[in-house]
Amino acid sequence: MCVAAGLGMGFAAGVPALAQAARAGHSAAPDVIFYDGNILTGTRLKDGDADATPGRVSAVAVRAGKIVAVGGNAAMLAMRDAHTKTVDLKGAFAMPGFNDAHTHMAFAGRQKLSVDLDNVASLAAMLAKVQAYAAKLGPGEWILGGGWDHTKWAGAKLPTRQDLDAVSAGHPAYLGRTDGHIAIVNTAALKAAGITDATIAPKGGAIDRDADGHATGILREGPTLALVEKIIPPPSLAMRRKGIELAMNDALAHGVTSIQDFSDWEDFLAMEGMERQGALHLRIAEWIEFAQPIGVLDERRASHPADDVLLHTTMLKGFMDGSLGSRTAAMSEAYADDKNNLGIARYDQGKLNEMATARAADGFQLGFHAIGDLANDMALNALGAAEQVGRPANVAAGPKNAAGGVVMSGPAAAVKPADFRFRIEHAQVVSPGAFERFAQLGVIASMQPSHLLTDMAWAPARLGPERVKRAYAWRSFLDHGVTLAFGTDYPVESISPFRGLYSAITRQNVGGTQTFQPQEKLTIDEALYAYTQASAFAEFREKVKGRLEPGYLADMVVLDRDITRASAQEVLHTQVLRTVVGGETVYQSATGQMAP
């Protein structure tokens, strides 16, 4: 029987509605009942939540993909008829499915289909994998892949084109770093792209050069990466779909039932095809590229139903800067370990404000990638300007933005008020006044706690003793009343939410041998809320997912331990027993055994 205390075995939320349906002559029996579980509904994760549904129940009844009732075993099982399927959870802990607020699914899938360099331990190991891959290629084919991270190698030295030349057998090669903000290419790729000693990097990017002015093979940031990417043969639709399927299965095996994703538009079209064929088992909120012309954005938004609970488009994703690991994050002061480097800002503030305001006026949610403190300030300036487009006429204008000014004037005053829920993705390092500005503007901090597991090894040296106090500052955001949504940035990090939970509650590395700014720790309830309900809020879906109660989508994960009562190391090593999307089991472990 269920081991959780206080589950209210006689309670049955949602039962009156079922009785009403039965009286009206409709079949009220659930399609499936999950029973004898230790089920966390999510209704008590946040202080002050007075929802009538208890925080813990033992059974959940599902019909047509939604939860129709929750409560005790007896009350739920009494609703079944001959067609109702029952699933005995055998006392296992269950909770709302995780909603990863930041992924790159297509990139993850294609990495699995190419030279997968995730977690290679050295440059030599990387080159060995490249050489083996090259041996299988036909004449003229590209060596593609990614996932390498030089900060994990002894010496932390970047690879060079000469390194790749020695193992690529004449094939052009393009291998992205794990963060997607820099890539190493070989000489053949540079020649194919027309990059010479005289090539000037586009604005917002950089070409690394040696002491003699020759390209080293390291290209930095999207505008420069595009010089090579545009000549690489695009993947076929079949390859796109296969990669998405691999990444989807990885997510489901880790208890993730929803993602908020930034992939190519062609990948979204592949997802649509999967949905039509009944092959999409993961809920996907897809982002669109901020820099596209408004006409293109309108067409893409209109191309798919916004109320589709399985697949839909949401915010516009824009890039303010790069990454800390690549030293391309835009900083207000130079890196502590690179005194001549301020990183790379991708926009001029005035142009950014203009573009953000125009897109907000068109009704789009905006989300800006911002890692460095300068990039975060630029994003806040632009969102502050854009937010005023949707200000109701009876609400006084807020204070002027540092570089944007009040833009609510003239025709913009006729724009209908909107709940934009603007977001900043990552928000890793912020300036002293940024927490207050996030709160004032209602900007969501969409963060990835698992980044800290990798970054803490070198972030203090990058940032210095003062800036580091405002880095990965989850507690400070919450204490300032900022909505905090969690994700992984998959495949930059593993899609496992348990790594992120561990990081959030400990601020320690995996071995527990290093601690990073421990005052920024969260409680397990706060971290779970950020991974479920706050993530749903960030995509305007908090009324249909993130909880297990009547009316919500039946998205649930069953685990081998109760992570609300487990030690930090036990949380880190949690295993998924079953993943349920819309009441259907879409993943089940081979063992199905709870932890002792």
Side-chain angles (χ1 to χ4, degrees):
M1 291 298 292
C2 185
V3 296
L7 295 185
M9 300 301 288
F11 176 84
V15 171
L18 293 178
Q20 184 177 8
R23 287 193 297 271
H26 304 296
S27 173
D31 299 322
V32 59
I33 298 171
F34 298 90
Y35 71 99
D36 197 19
N38 171 15
I39 303 172
L40 181 80
T41 64
T43 61
R44 298 294 182 270
L45 290 178
K46 191 170 185 179
D47 290 342
D49 190 332
D51 193 284
T53 301
R56 302 254 178 172
V57 297
S58 57
V60 172
V62 178
R63 188 174 67 244
K66 291 186 177 181
I67 297 169
V68 292
V70 300
N73 291 332
M76 295 299 99
L77 291 172
M79 289 186 260
R80 62 183 167 177
D81 67 10
H83 303 288
T84 302
K85 179 181 177 181
T86 59
V87 178
D88 186 353
L89 298 181
K90 300 179 180 179
F93 175 79
M95 58 169 281
F98 290 97
N99 186 337
D100 191 314
H102 190 120
T103 67
H104 304 274
M105 296 297 281
F107 178 61
R110 284 198 284 276
Q111 182 172 303
K112 294 176 184 295
L113 292 171
S114 57
V115 187
D116 189 352
L117 302 173
D118 187 33
N119 289 320
V120 291
S122 66
L123 175 59
M126 169 179 163
L127 296 177
K129 294 193 75 169
V130 172
Q131 187 171 37
Y133 186 86
K136 302 175 184 178
L137 296 179
E141 289 189 292
W142 281 72
I143 299 171
L144 302 174
W148 59 271
D149 184 353
H150 67 293
T151 68
K152 297 179 179 179
W153 304 343
K157 181 179 176 291
L158 286 166
T160 67
R161 62 183 171 89
Q162 290 87 352
D163 292 328
L164 281 188
D165 289 346
V167 297
S168 51
H171 296 278
Y174 177 100
L175 302 169
R177 187 180 181 274
T178 184
D179 57 13
H181 289 274
I182 67 176
I184 178 65
V185 300
N186 64 1
T187 302
L190 289 174
K191 288 181 177 179
I195 298 174
T196 69
D197 291 348
T199 301
I200 298 174
K203 180 177 175 55
I207 300 171
D208 281 17
R209 300 188 182 278
D210 60 23
D212 296 321
H214 304 309
T216 66
I218 291 292
L219 307 179
R220 298 179 184 266
E221 294 306 319
T224 305
L225 299 178
L227 297 177
V228 178
E229 289 174 345
K230 68 183 181 182
I231 64 169
I232 298 173
S236 65
L237 179 62
M239 178 173 283
R240 291 182 189 276
R241 174 166 175 161
K242 185 175 181 180
I244 293 166
E245 288 173 345
L246 289 172
M248 175 182 71
N249 291 337
D250 195 12
L252 296 173
H254 285 94
V256 177
T257 57
S258 291
I259 61 166
Q260 297 166 50
D261 182 65
F262 188 52
S263 297
D264 293 340
W265 185 249
E266 291 77 12
D267 297 309
F268 179 73
L269 299 180
M271 295 172 191
E272 284 189 314
M274 292 171 64
E275 181 184 30
R276 287 193 295 269
Q277 296 170 15
L280 188 64
H281 308 301
L282 178 70
R283 301 194 195 279
I284 301 176
E286 190 63 31
W287 302 337
I288 312 174
E289 184 184 358
F290 170 81
Q292 290 286 341
I294 288 181
V296 173
L297 298 176
D298 287 340
E299 289 176 3
R300 292 182 176 180
R301 176 173 56 183
S303 70
H304 195 96
D307 59 355
D308 184 344
V309 295
L310 189 61
L311 178 68
H312 60 283
T313 62
T314 51
M315 76 177 196
L316 306 184
K317 170 75 177 294
F319 288 88
M320 302 298 100
D321 65 347
S323 73
L324 279 180
S326 298
R327 291 192 183 90
T328 55
M331 309 299 292
S332 57
E333 297 179 3
Y335 284 85
D337 60 354
D338 191 355
K339 298 298 186 181
N340 295 317
N341 184 11
L342 291 169
I344 300 175
R346 297 277 291 269
Y347 282 96
D348 293 321
Q349 187 73 70
K351 180 63 174 177
L352 176 63
N353 289 2
E354 177 186 336
M355 294 177 67
T357 300
R359 285 152 179 75
D362 204 33
F364 283 102
Q365 180 189 27
L366 306 180
F368 290 151
H369 164 114
I371 300 282
D373 56 357
L374 176 63
N376 275 277
D377 284 344
M378 290 180 66
L380 288 168
N381 289 340
L383 296 177
E387 186 268 346
Q388 294 172 61
V389 171
R391 178 176 58 84
N394 62 345
V395 176
K400 289 189 176 183
N401 299 295
V406 174
V407 298
M408 182 73 175
S409 61
V415 177
K416 64 181 181 181
D419 177 13
F420 287 117
R421 300 190 192 179
F422 293 144
R423 302 165 52 155
I424 290 182
E425 303 300 309
H426 309 304
Q428 282 184 2
V429 186
V430 298
S431 60
F435 300 116
E436 290 80 3
R437 294 190 69 197
F438 268 83
Q440 178 191 35
L441 295 170
V443 174
I444 296 165
S446 174
M447 305 180 74
Q448 301 76 41
S450 53
H451 278 318
L452 186 57
L453 298 178
T454 301
D455 297 1
M456 72 170 67
W458 44 258
R462 290 273 198 283
L463 300 174
E466 289 304 315
R467 266 188 310 210
V468 77
K469 297 175 183 176
R470 301 186 302 277
Y472 314 85
W474 315 314
R475 166 59 57 201
S476 292
F477 277 114
L478 281 189
D479 286 350
H480 282 83
V482 176
T483 297
L484 183 63
F486 275 169
T488 60
D489 205 9
Y490 177 67
V492 178
E493 300 287 347
S494 163
I495 202 165
S496 167
F498 310 110
R499 285 172 52 83
L501 291 173
Y502 169 85
S503 179
I505 65 177
T506 66
R507 307 277 296 188
Q508 292 182 336
N509 62 7
V510 170
T513 59
Q514 182 182 359
T515 302
F516 184 98
Q517 301 296 318
Q519 73 278 5
E520 295 291 342
K521 288 191 297 187
L522 302 182
T523 67
I524 187 64
D525 283 0
E526 290 168 334
L528 287 172
Y529 188 89
Y531 257 122
T532 53
Q533 296 177 55
S535 291
F537 177 85
E539 60 157 321
F540 294 89
R541 289 295 191 270
E542 76 277 10
K543 298 297 185 184
V544 296
K545 59 185 174 182
R547 296 181 181 228
L548 299 177
E549 61 177 335
Y552 279 67
L553 295 168
D555 299 346
M556 180 172 67
V557 57
V558 183
L559 307 178
D560 69 342
R561 65 201 69 189
D562 183 343
I563 56 177
T564 69
R565 296 166 181 168
S567 70
Q569 280 292 324
E570 288 171 339
V571 170
L572 178 62
H573 294 99
T574 298
Q575 298 295 311
V576 174
L577 303 181
R578 180 189 297 264
T579 303
V580 177
V581 176
E584 298 287 337
T585 295
V586 292
Y587 168 80
Q588 192 167 4
S589 71
T591 63
Q593 298 297 312
M594 287 191 291

